[in-house]
Every structure is written in structure tokens, then in C-alpha cells.
Amino acid sequence: MLKTFSITDIGKRRKLNQDYVYTSEMPVGKLPNIFIVADGMGGHNAGDYASKYTVETIVKEIGASGEESPEKILESAIKTANEKLRKQARENMDLRGMGTTVVAATCRNSDLLVANVGDSRLYVVGEKIRQITRDHSLVEEMVRMGGIDRETARNHPDKNIITRAVGADEEVDIDFFRVSLLPGELVLMCSDGLTNMLEDEEIRMILNGQRDIVEKAEELVKAANRNGGKDNIAVVLIEPFTE
């Protein structure tokens, strides 16, 4: 039986919360559960509309899917959300240019399937912390090409420029990852409002230092805000192995 907790926070600097989370420990369509973090972008209220609309569309599409493969269910749902979001933007001038990151996960026993577009992240945390997703960002591309190192990337002025987003292009390119979870490991999904404020090792220490899943999530948000809270913060924690 898995246990989950999710939280979003506006942070210290923003007037709007453009992060949106969805969690269901119960089956949705043919998936045993589904967890999603989306970080919207766009002027005025377009970013919060983009994240909420995209997540709601994905959940609806998962519920209606006739596919058997979890990858195909998620891929089709995200691609449909991309088409529908672009249609909304075409029909409403106020929503032009909107888009959103999406990281989605579903877990069956110790098998975790992850889908990712953008720079929201999924980590697996135990004695060590492992980033499973790969950021679709300009700075990450520069690191991969050897242009800059990780430390420089962390404070780079272009670090918020993402190279993939739901709603950005006609076709959305989705990364998939499969992970085998070990007993005692915790899954963390989050927006960059958390990871821009905290180093990976700080995240691991907070998660290993609190008693229950609620305290762990709340302490992550508090720590991100203590460090400046420059953006909205979204956190989903999943404990796959609970009695």
C-alpha cells in the first residue's frame, strides 16, 4: 500500500501560483495510480490556466483510454493535452504563448514509470538522492555539451529557459523512464521552485531527517522559502512501501 502527500506554495516573490499538482492513490482508468506536477508559464493568469488545464486533461484522457500499455496511456494523454492547450491558446488572445512542464508517474509494486516534459523533476531518495528525469532546459543542454559545469549551471542567468513544454510546439516530445524501487526509498516530484532553492543533498537530508511524509514535504517548502522562495513550490512525495 503506498502513501502519498502533496503540497504547493506560492513562495515569497510571486503574486500567482502557477504550479499545479494532482495525486490519486486509487486507479485512474487502467493505471493503478497517478501523480502529476505541472509548472505553468505565460503572462497574466495564462501560466496557472496552462498547468491546471493540462493536468485535468491528462487525468481525463487516462480515465478514458482503451490502451493497455502504461507508456501508451501516458503518451497519448500528454499529446492530447498538448493539442487541446494549443487550441485554447489560438482561441483566446490572453492565453497566447502559454505552456507548462509536466512530470507524471505511476507505480505498481516496486515498478515506477515516469513521463517528463520540461524541467520539473522526479527523484528517488534513500541513502542517496538520484534525479531520474533529465531537465529539458537550455542550461542542461549546455552542461551536456560540456560548455559549462554543474556549479555554473546552478546560477546561470538563463537557467529558467526550457527547451520543451506542453503547449509550446505542434508535437510534444516526451521522455520516459522506468525505475525499480527498493524498500525504504521515497519518490519526490517537484517544480523548479524547490530545486532552484535547495541543493540535492539538502533535499536528501531534509527527507531523511523528518518523521512522517507530511513533515517531510512541509519542511522542504519551508526550507525553499527560507532560502529565498523566488518561485512557486510544488512537492509530491510517494512512499511506495508502507504496511
Side-chain angles (χ1 to χ4, degrees):
M1 184 69 187
L2 46 73
K3 191 175 173 185
T4 65
F5 183 75
S6 62
I7 185 171
T8 69
D9 189 89
I10 198 166
K12 297 286 190 190
R13 306 274 186 90
R14 298 294 174 96
K15 291 187 170 67
L16 265 181
N17 191 349
Q18 298 188 325
D19 287 359
Y20 194 79
V21 301
Y22 177 90
T23 66
S24 175
E25 296 174 21
M26 304 302 291
V28 177
K30 293 182 180 176
L31 297 184
N33 43 59
I34 186 70
F35 311 97
I36 309 172
V37 170
D39 178 0
M41 58 194 188
H44 308 296
N45 63 349
D48 64 321
Y49 181 90
S51 57
K52 185 173 189 287
Y53 181 85
T54 297
V55 171
E56 288 175 348
T57 304
I58 290 169
V59 173
K60 189 175 172 186
E61 290 297 317
I62 289 169
S65 178
E67 295 281 0
E68 294 295 332
S69 154
E71 280 99 336
K72 286 187 176 168
I73 292 169
L74 277 174
E75 181 179 36
S76 175
I78 294 169
K79 286 187 170 179
T80 300
N82 185 66
E83 289 165 17
K84 291 190 171 181
L85 194 68
R86 287 178 65 78
K87 184 170 184 285
Q88 293 282 319
R90 284 195 301 272
E91 291 172 357
N92 186 337
M93 280 295 292
D94 292 340
L95 302 178
R96 292 279 163 90
M98 69 176 171
T100 184
T101 70
V102 166
V103 59
T106 183
C107 187
R108 191 184 295 278
N109 301 320
S110 63
D111 186 36
L112 183 74
L113 173 67
V114 186
N116 182 55
V117 181
D119 66 351
S120 294
R121 293 180 180 176
L122 183 143
Y123 291 89
V124 172
V125 186
E127 288 181 15
K128 295 181 177 175
I129 181 167
R130 290 184 290 148
Q131 182 181 337
I132 304 302
T133 52
R134 205 168 65 173
D135 295 355
H136 301 138
S137 67
L138 187 63
V139 167
E140 182 62 25
E141 295 290 339
M142 290 160 75
V143 171
R144 282 205 286 271
M145 300 292 283
I148 58 171
D149 59 26
R150 284 264 166 234
E151 199 51 46
T152 307
R154 185 154 186 82
N155 300 301
H156 198 281
D158 294 333
K159 71 190 309 271
N160 292 326
I161 299 174
I162 60 175
T163 53
R164 289 191 215 171
V166 174
D169 296 303
E170 206 67 49
E171 288 290 320
V172 62
D173 193 7
I174 309 158
D175 282 354
F176 285 93
F177 306 88
R178 273 199 177 274
V179 187
S180 289
L181 299 168
L182 299 172
E185 288 186 325
L186 189 69
V187 176
L188 164 66
M189 301 166 69
C190 59
S191 63
D192 67 347
L194 182 77
T195 52
N196 284 344
M197 295 293 101
L198 296 173
E199 301 276 0
D200 286 5
E201 190 55 24
E202 289 177 281
I203 291 171
R204 186 191 69 81
M205 289 175 70
I206 289 167
L207 290 177
N208 290 338
Q210 307 302 316
R211 283 175 311 194
D212 69 27
I213 200 167
V214 177
E215 285 179 6
K216 291 176 197 287
E218 289 176 344
E219 189 51 44
L220 284 176
V221 171
K222 284 178 193 168
N225 279 326
R226 277 198 302 271
N227 284 3
K230 292 178 183 174
D231 201 351
N232 310 141
I233 306 153
V235 170
V236 173
L237 286 177
I238 307 164
E239 282 182 352
F241 301 95
T242 56
E243 295 302 321

